[in-house]
Amino acid sequence: MLRSPLFDISEQRLFTLCHDRPKGPLWAHLRQFAKTHAWAEKAYATLREWRTHLDVDRPYEFFAFILYAHKGLQKMHARLGPEIDDVIGEFMTMALAHERQDQSSLIGFLTKMRASPAEVKRELSDVKDNIRVMTVHGAKGLEAPIVICLDATQVPDSRNYSSPVFLDVPAELPHQSFLAWNIGGATNLPEAAAMLKEKRAEKEFDEYRRKLYVALTRAEDELYFTGVEKKPSKSGPASWYDMAKGALNDHSDEREEGTIYPKGSVTHVPATPTPIAHLRSTMPKEISTPVAPPVKRDIIEPSKGEESLSAAIAPTDGPVGLPPKLAMARGNALHALLQYLPDYAEDEREALAKIALPLILPEAPELHDEIIEKALNILGADTLSFLFADNSRAEVAIAADMEIDGAPARITGRIDRLVISEDEILIVDFKSDQNVPDTAAQISPKYKHQLAQYAKALAPNFPDHTLKTAILWTQNARLMSV
């Protein structure tokens, strides 16, 4: 990613970043590295902004944001040329098609892309005024006014086609196939092995000559053979250059620039460009007026807060003494059960949870029973049943542009549970803290601020509803209004 046209970080800088770095993910090291290196700070800030869009943007929207808002397509053009347009266009078409499916997601799209055998075939004959560099195989079926065959003096080396074992399979008599072991050097090779080695080399040389035919038939007007002059091989095949020159020599002119076929041909001399007077036209005001630059907004994620603060506070989820990463994984597993189990009958939930948890939390089987018990207690509580009714939604992604403290900002996040009634909206956030407060006044200001931001983001969409917020403490299955 950092070496790609999107960032264009040099090999030397990448080596400086990665060499002798502390054990751990590169992302964490980049965050620290950015504090002392301006180029790393820019890359880190861009990647962090992109990461804020991962959970809220659809696949097409996310990649369009990178390609256009962040000038990713312009950067790819600068390094890879306009030919990249076909690939990018096909990629974005696939992203848009994925969004039309049920349960579309960025992870689902990327998984589908990895498994897809799709190939992008370009109509290169339609590309004008460009220099295309390709192999002979890649040029099959294409034509161009001028074709230059570079390194046409290079011939296959028979030494590259040697092998420890040679196999001979006669087409007419496959049952008479045999293996020959390649023992010794070129001077004392067994007769059978020498014969097979010669057949293999001849096959490669035939392919070399077939490629010459392909090269000869690609040019519409002019064909050039060039390369480094070498001594003719006494035993090996002639090069493309030697074959072409040998066949056309009697019908060509020898000039300073090379052998020209046919005799008397007039080579093209660049003409002096003639200035063309362009007519001035008045552009419509709508076109000539520069487009206003997009509003730069700070991305605010209420659930995460500042990275420095999040790193300094130890998680309180789960049993006391649980490692921070495992405590977080435990909370995520409980959230997942509360998200999906309400869709199933009550008598099926426990069995389904026992199937799901080994996949969600395989590293801590000793916690499975406790997590299942908490999830079933919450889902089975009569006082909480309205949270999982048909008028509720789980894991609702939100994104809203607004002003915070007079500055433009975008709030992004996910609401654990959203309950919508005729005149009221209830925003519920699940918390797995070990120490549950007794009253709403004791709730952490960070939690209150998070819910207030969610309510502020939803308010414009529900002007006729009263917005309320609450926390569901999973530790004791208690719903507390905030």
Side-chain angles (χ1 to χ4, degrees), residues 93-110:
T93 299
M94 296 174 71
L96 194 60
H98 180 77
E99 288 187 8
R100 298 193 181 103
Q101 301 176 1
D102 294 336
Q103 303 295 329
S104 65
S105 66
L106 189 59
I107 293 179
F109 172 65
L110 295 178

Side-chain angles (χ1 to χ4, degrees), residues 337 340-354 372-373 375-382 385 388:
L337 294 185
Y340 294 108
L341 289 184
D343 295 335
Y344 296 91
E346 186 174 353
D347 57 351
E348 298 177 351
R349 292 172 181 171
E350 183 175 359
L352 291 171
K354 290 181 178 180
I372 294 174
E373 181 182 359
L376 296 180
N377 287 341
I378 292 172
L379 296 176
D382 293 337
S385 60
F388 308 99

Side-chain angles (χ1 to χ4, degrees), residues 259-434:
T259 303
I260 309 298
Y261 170 86
K263 285 185 177 181
S265 297
V266 178
T267 56
H268 295 291
V269 179
T272 304
T274 304
I276 300 176
H278 293 279
L279 298 177
R280 289 184 173 273
S281 59
T282 304
M283 298 291 289
K285 183 178 179 181
E286 294 79 4
I287 298 178
S288 59
T289 303
V291 177
V295 178
K296 186 176 181 180
R297 298 180 180 275
D298 292 330
I299 305 299
I300 297 176
E301 298 176 86
S303 63
K304 294 184 178 179
E306 294 294 330
E307 287 193 11
S308 58
L309 181 62
S310 300
I313 300 177
T316 57
D317 289 4
V320 176
L322 209 59
K325 287 187 178 180
L326 185 56
M328 184 178 296
R330 171 190 173 276
N332 292 339
L334 181 55
H335 276 56
L337 294 185
L338 294 177
Q339 177 183 352
Y340 294 108
L341 289 184
D343 295 335
Y344 296 91
E346 186 174 353
D347 57 351
E348 298 177 351
R349 292 172 181 171
E350 183 175 359
L352 291 171
K354 290 181 178 180
I355 296 174
L357 276 183
L359 303 175
I360 302 173
L361 192 65
E363 67 271 27
E366 69 278 3
L367 298 178
H368 291 180
D369 290 341
E370 177 227 348
I371 295 173
I372 294 174
E373 181 182 359
K374 287 187 180 298
L376 296 180
N377 287 341
I378 292 172
L379 296 176
D382 293 337
T383 56
L384 301 177
S385 60
F386 73 98
L387 296 179
F388 308 99
D390 292 339
N391 63 330
S392 68
R393 294 292 182 270
E395 296 295 323
V396 179
I398 61 169
D401 293 337
M402 59 182 63
E403 287 194 358
I404 296 180
D405 298 331
R410 170 173 288 186
I411 292 179
T412 65
R414 284 184 179 273
I415 297 174
D416 291 334
R417 206 77 193 180
L418 189 67
V419 183
I420 304 175
S421 58
E422 292 184 3
D423 56 359
E424 184 178 284
I425 301 291
L426 178 60
I427 301 171
V428 181
D429 196 55
F430 299 158
K431 298 297 182 185
S432 302
D433 291 26
Q434 177 71 13

Side-chain angles (χ1 to χ4, degrees), residues 466-481:
T466 301
L467 270 73
K468 295 184 178 181
T469 59
I471 291 178
L472 175 61
W473 303 102
T474 59
Q475 184 66 17
N476 57 5
R478 181 184 178 189
L479 186 68
M480 185 178 292
S481 297

